[in-house]
């Protein structure tokens, strides 16, 4: 079974600074999707960014970007110009082409310091 | 607006009682999922369904049951056999065949009193 590991239970960043959240995964599949979800205090899960494994170019969504290293099975999230509203739990997730299951990491709690 | 609706937002149950959590989607998604979220443990899969009248157990199915009689609906019953049911429950749906993202409901907080 696929596993997703987030080794940083908690992170903090100064407002306007940059922070990187780490995620590694284990899979034998060659094609898959990776996602970062944000869960603010409201607990609504919000998709931040997604990456198709067959694309070499790293995905970017405004202040959010990923560093996808397929060979290393690493998928980190970089948040630039951090804002107070970025404070949340962030989950890394995997979905393969051969099944419809999602595999989630245990999450990283991000605190933004004013 | 298309989306997933979970109800109720908060639910209280007495020990020994069964309770059903509702999940409805109007996204025309074939796949639906139930996750349990506890502090420090991320999202754990309870059940998922890829098509009407079919569902599979996830990692923590014991003490839970589901049905999928309609494409739009995937209710979760927490039975009295679930030893520690107090948790936050999330329902999600997605397209099948193409591994795009899951869409989530707002969640239900279940508390056993």
């Amino acid at each position: 079974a696929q596993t997703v590991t987030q080794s940083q239970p908690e992170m903090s960043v100064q407002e306007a600074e940059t922070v990187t959240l780490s995620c590694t995964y284990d899979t034998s599949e060659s094609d898959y999707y990776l996602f970062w979800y944000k869960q603010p205090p409201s607990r609504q899960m919000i998709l931040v960014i997604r990456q198709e494994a067959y694309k070499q170019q790293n995905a970017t969504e405004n202040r959010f970007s990923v560093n996808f290293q397929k060979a290393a099975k690493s998928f980190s999230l970089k948040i630039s110009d951090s804002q107070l509203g970025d404070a949340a739990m962030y989950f890394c997730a995997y979905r393969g082409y051969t099944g419809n299951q999602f595999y989630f990491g245990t999450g990283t709690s991000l605190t933004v310091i004013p | 607006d298309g989306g997933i609706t979970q109800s109720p937002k908060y639910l209280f149950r007495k020990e020994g009682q069964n309770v059903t959590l509702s999940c409805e989607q109007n996204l025309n998604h074939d796949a639906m999922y139930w996750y349990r979220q506890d502090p420090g443990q991320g999202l754990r899969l309870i059940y998922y369904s890829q098509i009407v009248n079919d569902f599979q157990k996830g990692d923590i199915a014991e003490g839970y049951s589901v049905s999928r009689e309609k494409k739009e609906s995937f209710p979760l019953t927490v039975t009295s056999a679930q030893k520690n049911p107090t948790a936050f429950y999330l329902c999600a749906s997605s397209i099948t065949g193409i591994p795009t993202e899951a869409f989530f409901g707002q969640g239900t907080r279940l508390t056993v009193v």
Side-chain angles (χ1 to χ4, degrees), chain A residues 31-33 35 37 39 42-47 50 89 91 95-97 99-107, chain B residues 31 33 35 37 40-43 45 48 50 88 90 94-106 109:
Chain A
D31 291 322
Y32 48 86
Y33 273 53
F35 310 90
Y37 282 90
Q39 188 181 43
S42 68
R43 306 199 77 171
Q44 174 71 55
M45 292 285 282
I46 302 164
L47 179 69
R50 65 178 175 184
M89 185 73 82
F91 291 97
R95 182 181 182 180
Y97 267 80
N100 292 307
Q101 283 196 56
F102 291 84
Y103 299 88
F104 289 86
T106 52
Chain B
Y33 312 82
Y35 295 94
Q37 188 175 17
Q41 297 197 48
L43 278 68
L45 183 65
Y48 70 103
Q50 301 183 73
F88 186 68
L90 280 163
S94 74
I95 298 171
T96 56
I98 304 172
T100 57
E101 67 268 25
F103 293 77
F104 286 85
Q106 315 95 306
R109 173 68 184 180

Side-chain angles (χ1 to χ4, degrees), chain A residues 41-43, chain B residues 6-13 88 107-111:
Chain A
S42 68
R43 306 199 77 171
Chain B
Q6 288 186 244
S7 61
K9 188 172 182 179
Y10 299 97
L11 190 56
F12 296 88
R13 187 196 90 173
F88 186 68
T108 293
R109 173 68 184 180
L110 173 63
T111 302

